[in-house]
């Protein structure tokens, strides 16, 4: 079996080999720029790790894995336009570095390229792999739609929030694992268990993201903490805090969430973080995250293979859920 | 064989059956809105007509044909954002009726849906059909990129312009015909001839579009003439006129293309139209259009089938190239 590091190297090597400096440059250069921003390449790594559970030859999984990562980066590119985000990974976003039309069009080209890479699936896996990908891609769009809808509402429930992050973030991790299993030759039962492992891991991963944004160490995290707080993002923490808040705490929240409360960012972050602590939102979020992590682990344990074979995936799941960054 | 009318009915019936009123509505309702704007459904009609040249059973061609039309409408949706177009077919564009984020995201969902419909191809045609579609979809993006690049240049040549419209518009018509041929069971030679028929027809079609925008009858055309003139769009007419212009005529153009010249729209349209006549741009455009039409007809004639079988396609090609609207 390949180590996780060997798989990461295979993925990174493959990306470094793609030449995006082709005409028209205005279309393809931004794609190279986005992919060069780096990242953990979590999704293609999951594809290969899952394939490796069932097969030694990872070749059939490589291009489809690349396709999934190109798709993921396409969603980030378009999301950044919709969110009006100025930076990503400390670099200017494409609509800032170039312009909005470029960001839209290069994103469209990325989605098409993603399909080209996924269509490299061998004939016996092609139809099923495509349907898994298309179905998942639509769910990601649905998640983004709900995320945008929620900005206009003040009554978003915890369950609605969890469903939104399931669609927006988690299903893609599930699809990555399931795609790898499909390519490796897993039977339907194991493929389903692995899908559920991936989705639950994704939910834990996103809740960890919500926590790190507030409680992360600014140095290791690589970006200013409190970003979600400043833009009143309806995270698990905020929704839970509002639900648990006493009348006095609700009044405090009303102030900090108002335009007036946004005038002193550092004070706002400090105050809201303290409210998250007092209302047990932090504790609840950590508990929920742990619940999904445990669910993920259970699903992986149910997969019909010796534990040694699943060791790398168990380790990766733990690393993602209990990371500091 | 099916008549063109019967094929149009099959396509329209299929579109009327799709339900876009599903959650989240913010994502899917705009798709239904765009598709309900109507249109000739030229591309899916070409798919079915081409399939019908080789096969009586059109069922395998229907969903792929629908997919191509969804793709075409996706490009219009995103192009309208990039062009900041306020209306399409006399209705507000999606980014105006809803907002820009919706237009981006619903467009993304349309592209995915297009792939889902095309992936309905039977297993023996799936890989080839997907590659034809993906390759063509990228070319359309490239054409749009060149179109945007050209806005910043004053030295665009006729050949560059023709290559841009080949990518932006013509290759999709070629792909529609070729996809139908593939599904119907055509051999590679005939499939290629039909592709070239479609591409050349597409070039004639776009040049006709350029002519109608200036010389079309406002009532039958359905929209104000002169739109391209008003926004200094680098069409075949403008590029040719500038190339042929005498020094005196060049001076006139300098004025009308400047901000000063744009202050009286009706005068500008009248003056530039007259310059197109005087510089023989109109004549040259009509000649070029006819050249591509003849090329298209020749390619269709080379297809290894009795003329009666190709009659409907010959008629459609003629109708598109010599239309008044």
């Amino acid at each position: 079996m390949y180590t996780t590091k060997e798989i990461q190297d295979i993925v990174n090597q493959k990306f470094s080999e793609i030449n995006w400096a082709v005409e028209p440059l205005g279309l393809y250069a931004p794609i190279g720029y986005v992919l060069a921003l780096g990242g953990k390449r979590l999704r293609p790594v999951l594809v290969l790790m899952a394939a490796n559970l069932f097969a030694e030859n990872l070749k059939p999984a490589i291009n489809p894995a690349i396709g999934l990562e190109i798709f993921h980066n396409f969603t980030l590119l378009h999301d950044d336009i919709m969110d009006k985000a100025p930076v990503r990974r400390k670099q200017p976003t494409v609509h800032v570095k170039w312009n909005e039309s470029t960001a839209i069009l290069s994103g469209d080209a990325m989605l098409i390229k993603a399909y080209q890479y996924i269509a490299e699936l061998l004939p016996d896996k092609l139809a099923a792999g495509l349907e898994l990908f298309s179905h998942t891609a639509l769910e990601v769009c649905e998640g983004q739609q709900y995320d945008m809808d929620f900005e206009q509402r003040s009554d978003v429930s915890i369950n609605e929030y969890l469903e939104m992050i399931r669609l927006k973030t988690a299903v893609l991790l599930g699809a990555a694992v399931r795609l790898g299993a499909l390519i490796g030759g897993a039977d339907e039962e194991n493929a389903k268990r692995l899908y559920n492992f991936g989705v639950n891991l994704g939910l834990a991963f996103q809740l960890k993201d919500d926590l790190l944004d507030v409680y992360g160490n600014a140095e290791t995290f690589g970006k200013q903490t409190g970003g979600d707080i400043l833009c009143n993002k309806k995270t698990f923490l905020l929704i839970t805090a509002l639900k648990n808040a006493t009348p006095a705490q609700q009044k405090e929240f009303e102030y900090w969430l108002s335009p007036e409360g946004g005038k002193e960012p550092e004070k706002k972050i400090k105050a809201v973080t303290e409210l998250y602590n007092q209302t047990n939102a932090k504790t609840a979020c950590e508990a929920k995250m742990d619940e999904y992590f445990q669910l993920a682990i259970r699903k992986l344990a149910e997969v019909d293979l010796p534990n040694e074979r699943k060791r790398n995936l168990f380790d990766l799941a733990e690393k993602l859920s209990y990371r500091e960054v």
Side-chain angles (χ1 to χ4, degrees), chain A residues 238-255 274-281:
Chain A
L238 180 56
I239 297 174
T240 305
L242 286 170
K243 194 169 77 140
N244 295 350
T246 61
Q249 287 164 335
Q250 272 174 32
K251 265 201 152 50
E252 281 195 72
F253 263 118
E254 256 181 64
Y255 172 75
E274 185 50 32
L275 281 163
Y276 284 170
N277 300 341
Q278 290 172 6
T279 53
N280 285 327

Side-chain angles (χ1 to χ4, degrees), chain A residues 291-306:
Chain A
E291 185 186 314
Y292 284 123
F293 172 73
Q294 296 301 339
L295 254 164
I297 294 306
R298 194 180 320 153
K299 286 295 156 190
L300 183 55
E302 286 171 12
V303 172
D304 229 326
L305 289 166

